[in-house]
Amino acid sequence: MHLFERARGWVRSPLMEFDDLVGRMEGLLESTVGGAAPLNGPTAWALLADVTEAEDVFKIEVELPGVKPEDVDVEVNGQELLVTGEIKEKEREGIVRSNTRRTGHFEHRVLLTGEVEAENVEATMSDGVLSITAHRAEAAKPRHIEVKASNDGDGNG
């Protein structure tokens, strides 16, 4: 048990309780039929992202602090947008006392409500935020159809 000292005595660290919970969850997953990859192992992890939709464009903003543009890949296929990459572990000197930053492979999939023009997707990185603009494909854009009155006089066609 990891403890912190407070004025009134010793208490358990909330962060250590979380680590303990993760360890117990890993044990539970490993004991199930077929097992599972460890929660803190080399599996992909989710990114924080916002997706907005306008009449003719989708905008996706993904938080990637400290990631270089060359370490990110963006693919679009029909209605699906995929952002993948890797945050590499930095070499450090000395003893690491705390390490809560995520490293390793990341992946974010977005299923859009319409197809996009793959050749008209733009991605830029600024201040740790990947901004993607994807324009709707012409066939996928909603189109207003005007209803006209017929000229035959009977109103039936």
Side-chain angles (χ1 to χ4, degrees), residues 1-138:
M1 179 185 287
H2 297 278
L3 303 173
F4 275 96
E5 186 176 4
R6 284 198 182 164
R8 288 186 255 169
W10 293 89
V11 294
R12 185 172 168 93
S13 163
L15 294 176
M16 293 305 148
E17 288 181 14
F18 181 74
D19 287 343
D20 184 48
L21 177 63
V22 169
R24 290 178 188 211
M25 289 173 61
E26 285 177 350
L28 180 62
L29 289 172
E30 289 172 1
S31 69
T32 61
V33 177
L39 296 177
N40 61 358
T43 59
W45 44 273
L47 301 174
L48 299 176
D50 292 332
V51 179
T52 57
E53 178 180 355
E55 187 173 320
D56 61 344
V57 70
F58 297 98
K59 292 191 179 195
I60 300 95
E61 291 183 331
V62 183
E63 290 186 19
L64 293 170
V67 178
K68 298 175 184 171
E70 59 267 18
D71 293 333
V72 179
D73 187 44
V74 178
E75 293 181 21
V76 65
N77 184 8
Q79 290 180 244
E80 184 179 57
L81 182 98
L82 176 64
V83 177
T84 58
E86 184 174 3
I87 296 178
K88 298 176 178 131
E89 182 77 33
K90 296 179 182 176
E91 288 190 33
R92 293 179 166 71
E93 293 182 17
I95 298 171
V96 177
R97 297 290 182 190
S98 175
N99 187 11
T100 59
R101 299 169 89 189
R102 292 191 179 251
T103 58
H105 182 75
F106 60 82
E107 175 178 296
H108 186 74
R109 290 181 188 271
V110 177
L111 185 59
L112 304 170
T113 58
E115 291 195 19
V116 297
E117 298 173 355
E119 64 281 349
N120 202 5
V121 175
E122 299 171 2
T124 58
M125 182 91 76
S126 177
D127 297 327
V129 176
L130 173 66
S131 298
I132 303 167
T133 303
H135 296 271
R136 285 184 187 270
E138 283 296 321

